[in-house]
Amino acid sequence: MFDETEYMEINMGPQHPSTHGVLRLKLKLNGETVVECRPIIGYLHRGVEKICENKTFFQGQIWTDRLDYCSAVSNNLGWAEAVEKLFGITVPRRALYLRTLLTELNRLASHLIWLATHALDIGAMTVFLYTFRERELIMDMFEAFCGARLTTTAFRIGGLYQDLPPGFEAMVRAFLAKFPACLDEYETLLTENRIWKKRTVGVAKLSAEDAIALGVTGPVLRAAGVAYDIRKAFPYAAYRELDFEVPTRTEADTYARYLVRMEEMRQSCRLVAQCLDGLPEGPIMAKLPKVLRSEVNEIYHPTEAPKGELGYYLVGEKGSLNPYRFHVRAPGFANLQALPKMVEGGLVADIIAAIGTLDVVLGEIDR
Amino acid sequence: MSQKNCPTALEQILITTRVEKVMNWSRATSVWPMTFGLACCAIEMMAAGASRYDFDRFGAGIFRATPRQSDLMIVAGTVTYKMAPIIKQLYEQMPDPKWVIAMGSCAISGGPFDSYHTIQGVDKVVPVDVYITGCPPRPEALIQGFLKLQDKIMSSSLADKYKEIFEGLPR
Amino acid sequence: MSDYVYDLKTAPNRQVTLPITVPLPSLKTYRAEQATAAKAEEAKFQKATADFETAKAKAEVAGTELPKPPVKAAPKREVHDLVTPIPSEAKDPDLLRLVERLGEGAEEAFEQSGELVCQVAKERILEALILCREDAALRYEMLSDETATHFPASSSFAFSVVYHLTSLSRAKRLRLRILIPAGFEPESATQAYPAANWLEREVFDMLGIRFQNHPDLVRILCPDDWEDYPLRKEYPVTGWGQRDIDFRDDRSGRLERLAMEKAGNTGINLKVPKAE
Ligand code: SF4
């Protein structure tokens, strides 16, 4: 009699409090179970690639701030290094260390936003208030360094435009002394919390094979047991000389990703301290000709952004001031592609956890 | 209580004012914004609502997830061609009286994105009450913009509102 | 190339300057260019020497001061931290292996900026991708990126499509490249790497390249009804007027008509396909 099942189709987003921006999902449900999930993106497509193709290499950086706006400095680093690779520029060592320092601070800020929103979506409001308290301290540092909180445009091609401001080191040291205790505080709120574990353990699994096949990188891949970190595999900036570990887990679920990211924050603290301690003396800007005109070249430069592999693809035209072609390989774009795989067959409420754990930022996905 | 103290006591508990003013006051001090982040500016909007800046002090801390419960739409981010009809629809779903803040240069004029898919300012989609400059505006700027909106609400008159609603005059 | 009529006279601010060169890095072209440059240099030197000889003879007759003999221009010394990367011969075992296995299918292999590049015949790209993934000596497990570039100045091809492969186990990267003329539909990479699904949708959306056997080739970033392909070089940055639509007027589904009107005013005829 009832052999024909009718599925319910519902729409989620683009205005939805837990889609982290303007992500839209088209869901097909069988009761509470997700049968099919189709992400629809493009609601924040701003044409960054086209704009940058019409701007000079120096100008292009400001649009990279606005790709993954939670971690602007990481994007700046990728851009600066990609352009340097295109031209064949060697950057002085001090500049590399300063870049690494700022990038790791930014990784902390980005992971704090992830923790805040992920916990808020699942229902833990307090974490949001706690993490933003610490994030403001990092924002203060960026403000002291370059005057902006979010859209930093921190680097220049060939190095940095200014050295650390006076008092910056003291700020960072005070923060480093305080922050591990704060991390412990978040962990006491969440790690053994029964509700948190119920909502995350075993939820939104993604096996290592699927992750690799779908191009998923970053903490999501590492939580599946693959110790792939571009900072180790293809070292850039000063990471070759610094000592840090790549945390991995094997459970491949939301809880494992949470633990991996918490451990990454601890490693970032270590990296920041090492950068400060081992900061070499010397110039912060490479000697460059006044006008940079590119040669015919084509490069792809991957860096480890907080969300995963952030790659810039640039094509240079002979004698041109702007890139002929600019393409961003956004980590979120590839990671979001795995969302259907993670949620199909699960419960509809777990979609919220899955989106949170992927740490999607629509600015870089839609570009 | 003696007879002759009565007027004074009455004076202490009664305030005479206009209905309009009371209505405006209650509206201005309990604005419920809609949770509606579009892009980078939304992060600063979150920061404004979080620990250090505490938007709640001004009665606007309750971010509602649905347009049907909110009075204020903070357009925080870039408006694109694909998103514009949805913003329009959300605005129309909000109950009157409703206000719109355009936060950041993207919402004002397209900002740095002078490109094919970016609407050059949200005022092409919905009417805007307060514009806040910056890319992104600092949380303080958002708070100041909100205080400006409160001023605007306090100075609005019921008669104008009726005209707007029933005679369809553009704002 | 596009199927729609653009009236540029009514939209002067949407003029675009098309590129005149084909910036496609390649060892062959680089060598050829170098050879021509060296030849020109040599010819210049010969001419200068001949001039010098005649001038010298003249000066000896007249008894005036002798002119300076010409010297070959020394290679410029770098005064800055900038060494322009040049393409070099493929030496990496991966590239050699790939060329050996593909035979005729590998059109060119070289290294530049420390990256391995292999240009593959356009019909054999799927074979090459599967080879990269399956071959025991290559083992490129992940497709990091796939994108394309438009080259309107070239006569023999219109687009290049590049595939960036990563080997997690061996920490190596490789770029495969195909050159395709307009209208050619390369095989979709989804059979070898599922990650190509969205990437190819994006390439289709932005550049209008269709892929054969793609499971779901629809637009991904732009709306479904978007006209033309934004990342082609003849497309203006500000687009064709869609962004100038006044959405406030639209109260009852008049949006489409308004779009048409507005587009008509700014010089795009959305409805009439170009008459051949
Ligand atoms: S105004 Fe600036 S910070 Fe705000 S959304 Fe636009 S680009 Fe982002």
Side-chain angles (χ1 to χ4, degrees):
Chain A
M1 262 193 289
F2 296 108
D3 45 355
E4 255 187 47
T5 325
E6 275 213 5
Y7 296 128
M8 181 162 69
E9 284 201 26
I10 61 168
N11 175 58
M12 183 173 161
Q15 190 266 331
H16 187 278
S18 66
T19 53
H20 295 206
V22 285
L23 171 64
R24 178 174 161 214
L25 301 176
K26 223 168 159 183
L27 303 171
K28 207 181 253 181
L29 304 180
N30 180 7
E32 280 281 294
T33 315
V34 183
V35 180
E36 196 190 313
C37 163
R38 186 180 162 85
I40 298 174
I41 59 175
Y43 290 95
L44 196 54
H45 176 54
R46 309 186 270 197
V48 172
E49 289 176 9
K50 186 81 184 175
I51 293 174
C52 284
E53 282 167 21
N54 290 281
K55 301 282 171 189
T56 67
F57 288 102
F58 286 96
Q59 291 169 335
Q61 196 188 16
I62 77 147
W63 280 273
T64 64
D65 283 335
R66 287 147 180 90
L67 288 173
D68 173 3
Y69 34 81
C70 296
S71 57
V73 185
S74 299
N75 298 342
N76 295 162
L77 180 74
W79 170 263
E81 295 220 327
V83 176
E84 280 151 14
K85 192 170 176 184
L86 185 76
F87 283 103
I89 297 171
T90 323
V91 181
R93 244 181 109 228
R94 185 177 172 85
L96 291 180
Y97 267 73
L98 290 177
R99 281 179 175 186
T100 315
L101 171 76
L102 289 165
T103 311
E104 287 306 315
L105 283 173
N106 196 217
R107 190 182 307 275
L108 286 174
S110 169
H111 278 4
L112 285 177
I113 290 195
W114 156 78
L115 183 59
T117 48
H118 187 29
L120 191 66
D121 291 346
I122 293 187
M125 173 93 189
T126 325
V127 185
F128 170 74
L129 298 174
Y130 280 23
T131 52
F132 265 74
R133 187 186 59 192
E134 271 73 61
R135 185 177 167 273
E136 287 298 331
L137 300 176
I138 301 177
M139 293 291 112
D140 284 348
M141 291 174 208
F142 289 154
E143 217 176 330
F145 178 71
C146 59
R149 285 159 53 89
L150 212 62
T151 47
T152 46
T153 318
F155 308 134
R156 295 293 177 273
I157 290 155
L160 304 169
Y161 74 111
Q162 61 168 9
D163 213 317
L164 293 183
F168 189 87
E169 193 176 339
M171 265 166 114
V172 180
R173 293 232 184 254
F175 174 78
L176 286 181
K178 180 172 173 233
F179 190 64
C182 299
L183 274 177
D184 293 341
E185 201 177 353
Y186 313 147
E187 292 226 41
T188 50
L189 281 172
L190 293 176
T191 307
E192 291 304 322
N193 184 327
R194 287 223 308 276
I195 305 170
W196 179 258
K197 279 186 120 172
K198 272 235 157 78
R199 292 294 310 267
T200 55
V201 175
V203 166
K205 282 198 170 220
L206 185 71
S207 70
E209 292 81 57
D210 287 344
I212 291 172
L214 288 169
V216 173
T217 45
V220 184
L221 183 60
R222 289 195 283 274
V226 183
Y228 173 63
D229 188 323
I230 296 164
R231 292 174 290 175
K232 283 265 192 235
F234 306 94
Y236 56 95
Y239 290 110
R240 199 175 276 106
E241 304 165 13
L242 302 175
D243 172 38
F244 65 103
E245 274 150 33
V246 180
T248 52
R249 307 281 302 185
T250 47
E251 295 89 349
D253 60 359
T254 308
Y255 189 65
R257 286 169 213 137
Y258 157 75
L259 292 177
V260 164
R261 286 201 176 96
M262 293 310 265
E263 184 53 35
E264 260 179 36
M265 284 203 252
R266 297 214 156 81
Q267 296 297 334
S268 288
C269 286
R270 272 182 69 197
L271 281 168
V272 171
Q274 283 176 48
C275 284
L276 271 187
D277 294 337
L279 198 59
E281 291 299 319
I284 53 163
M285 191 74 193
K287 277 201 228 68
L288 295 179
K290 281 252 161 47
V291 184
L292 281 181
R293 288 186 185 277
S294 67
E295 291 289 323
V296 178
N297 197 355
E298 175 185 36
I299 58 114
Y300 175 80
H301 185 67
T303 53
E304 182 77 18
K307 272 125 202 142
E309 173 177 338
L310 171 73
Y312 287 108
Y313 171 70
L314 284 170
V315 178
E317 188 180 9
K318 191 172 176 64
S320 170
L321 290 171
N322 33 10
Y324 185 82
R325 175 81 171 90
F326 170 54
H327 173 75
V328 188
R329 189 266 185 211
F333 190 79
N335 290 5
L336 189 64
Q337 202 177 166
L339 183 70
K341 195 121 220 161
M342 289 160 77
V343 299
E344 279 172 7
L347 297 179
V348 67
D350 291 342
I351 292 180
I352 308 297
I355 296 173
T357 192
L358 282 179
D359 197 5
V360 293
V361 167
L362 270 295
E364 64 171 11
I365 293 171
D366 296 346
R367 278 156 284 150
Chain B
M1 219 185 271
S2 70
Q3 199 79 27
K4 75 171 192 255
N5 280 345
C6 252
T8 333
L10 209 58
E11 259 172 33
Q12 276 169 6
I13 59 168
L14 282 188
I15 311 163
T16 54
T17 180
R18 285 176 295 154
V19 177
E20 192 180 272
K21 203 165 173 201
V22 178
M23 278 178 72
N24 283 344
W25 171 76
S26 60
R27 277 173 181 167
T29 46
S30 68
V31 174
W32 286 7
M34 178 160 59
T35 318
F36 184 46
L38 284 172
C40 348
C41 284
I43 304 289
E44 287 299 65
M45 187 168 80
M46 272 159 65
S51 326
R52 188 185 284 185
Y53 297 99
D54 195 8
F55 216 29
D56 230 352
R57 289 176 291 167
F58 309 98
I62 310 176
F63 282 87
R64 305 309 303 178
T66 156
R68 304 198 191 271
Q69 296 174 352
S70 39
D71 320 302
L72 168 64
M73 182 161 156
I74 303 179
V75 184
T78 324
V79 184
T80 59
Y81 177 80
K82 204 171 178 179
M83 194 66 195
I86 293 155
I87 294 178
K88 177 92 185 157
Q89 191 178 359
L90 286 171
Y91 179 75
E92 279 166 5
Q93 282 176 349
M94 281 163 60
D96 259 316
K98 52 194 172 186
W99 298 279
V100 177
I101 289 181
M103 178 184 182
S105 47
C106 279
I108 296 175
S109 67
F113 300 101
D114 185 9
S115 66
Y116 52 93
H117 201 250
T118 316
I119 304 285
Q120 304 293 299
V122 73
D123 42 14
K124 288 204 170 142
V125 186
V126 293
V128 178
D129 294 280
V130 177
Y131 296 87
I132 304 172
T133 57
C135 182
R138 297 180 54 90
E140 291 97 326
L142 177 59
I143 290 172
Q144 200 215 356
F146 180 70
L147 294 179
K148 279 268 180 291
L149 180 70
Q150 282 189 333
D151 289 349
K152 178 168 179 175
I153 298 174
M154 287 303 286
S155 63
S156 65
S157 94
L158 276 178
D160 288 356
K161 208 77 201 164
Y162 271 96
K163 254 190 214 153
E164 260 167 39
I165 296 165
F166 294 111
E167 293 167 25
L169 288 186
R171 273 209 249 176
Chain C
M1 184 161 319
S2 78
D3 306 334
Y4 295 92
V5 192
Y6 300 120
D7 186 2
L8 283 168
K9 275 194 210 93
T10 52
N13 57 341
R14 291 191 160 83
Q15 293 273 16
V16 283
T17 41
L18 285 176
I20 45 170
T21 62
V22 185
L24 190 79
S26 132
L27 187 59
K28 274 184 211 150
T29 12
Y30 178 74
R31 289 229 173 107
E33 267 172 24
Q34 289 293 314
T36 348
K39 223 182 241 166
E41 188 74 16
E42 187 57 37
K44 214 169 132 197
F45 181 71
Q46 293 293 348
K47 189 167 176 294
T49 322
D51 286 353
F52 167 69
E53 292 298 338
T54 45
K56 195 173 140 197
K58 240 188 226 164
E60 268 165 5
V61 172
T64 50
E65 208 181 323
L66 291 183
K68 282 207 187 91
V71 276
K72 270 202 174 154
K76 260 192 227 147
R77 272 195 58 231
E78 295 293 341
V79 288
H80 18 65
D81 307 326
L82 190 149
V83 186
T84 308
I86 50 169
S88 64
E89 195 75 53
K91 289 202 195 67
D92 195 273
D94 284 16
L95 279 181
L96 298 181
R97 169 114 190 131
L98 202 59
V99 171
E100 179 205 317
R101 289 293 304 270
L102 282 175
E104 285 288 292
E107 290 175 351
E108 191 177 8
F110 62 96
E111 296 174 23
Q112 189 172 12
S113 293
E115 294 187 2
L116 317 179
V117 190
C118 183
Q119 184 175 314
V120 181
K122 56 185 182 294
E123 296 85 8
R124 296 182 61 183
I125 182 63
L126 187 62
E127 184 196 333
L129 286 168
I130 292 178
L131 179 71
C132 286
R133 202 194 57 189
E134 304 290 337
D135 193 289
L138 296 173
R139 293 212 319 278
Y140 285 92
E141 298 103 347
M142 190 192 270
L143 177 73
S144 289
D145 192 15
E146 175 179 348
T147 189
T149 313
H150 186 202
F151 295 101
S154 164
S155 53
S156 53
F157 58 95
F159 301 99
S160 76
V161 184
V162 290
Y163 302 76
H164 293 105
L165 307 181
T166 310
S167 168
L168 305 185
S169 47
R170 296 161 58 236
K172 278 209 141 176
R173 281 178 188 278
L174 171 70
R175 177 186 306 132
L176 297 185
R177 180 170 83 190
I178 53 172
L179 305 180
I180 56 170
F184 183 83
E185 298 186 5
E187 273 293 325
S188 160
T190 39
Q191 293 160 50
Y193 297 98
N197 187 337
W198 279 23
L199 292 165
E200 280 175 1
R201 278 176 69 186
E202 194 197 322
V203 170
F204 166 64
D205 189 357
M206 292 287 129
L207 289 131
I209 301 173
R210 297 190 151 270
F211 291 89
Q212 280 176 40
N213 302 329
H214 188 281
D216 169 30
L217 197 66
V218 291
R219 285 193 180 261
I220 186 166
L221 297 178
C222 293
D224 289 340
D225 58 351
W226 194 257
E227 302 291 346
D228 213 351
Y229 303 104
L231 281 183
R232 289 192 177 178
K233 291 291 172 192
E234 72 261 5
Y235 192 87
V237 193
T238 47
W240 286 109
Q242 286 95 332
R243 68 170 201 181
D244 298 325
I245 294 169
D246 198 337
F247 286 85
R248 274 172 79 173
D249 287 350
D250 177 49
R251 282 202 165 260
S252 52
R254 288 190 296 144
L255 195 66
E256 197 187 351
R257 194 169 57 72
L258 277 167
M260 292 303 157
E261 246 172 47
K262 192 82 189 179
N265 292 344
T266 46
I268 175 178
N269 184 349
L270 295 180
K271 277 289 162 202
V272 191
K274 189 190 274 175
E276 288 304 331

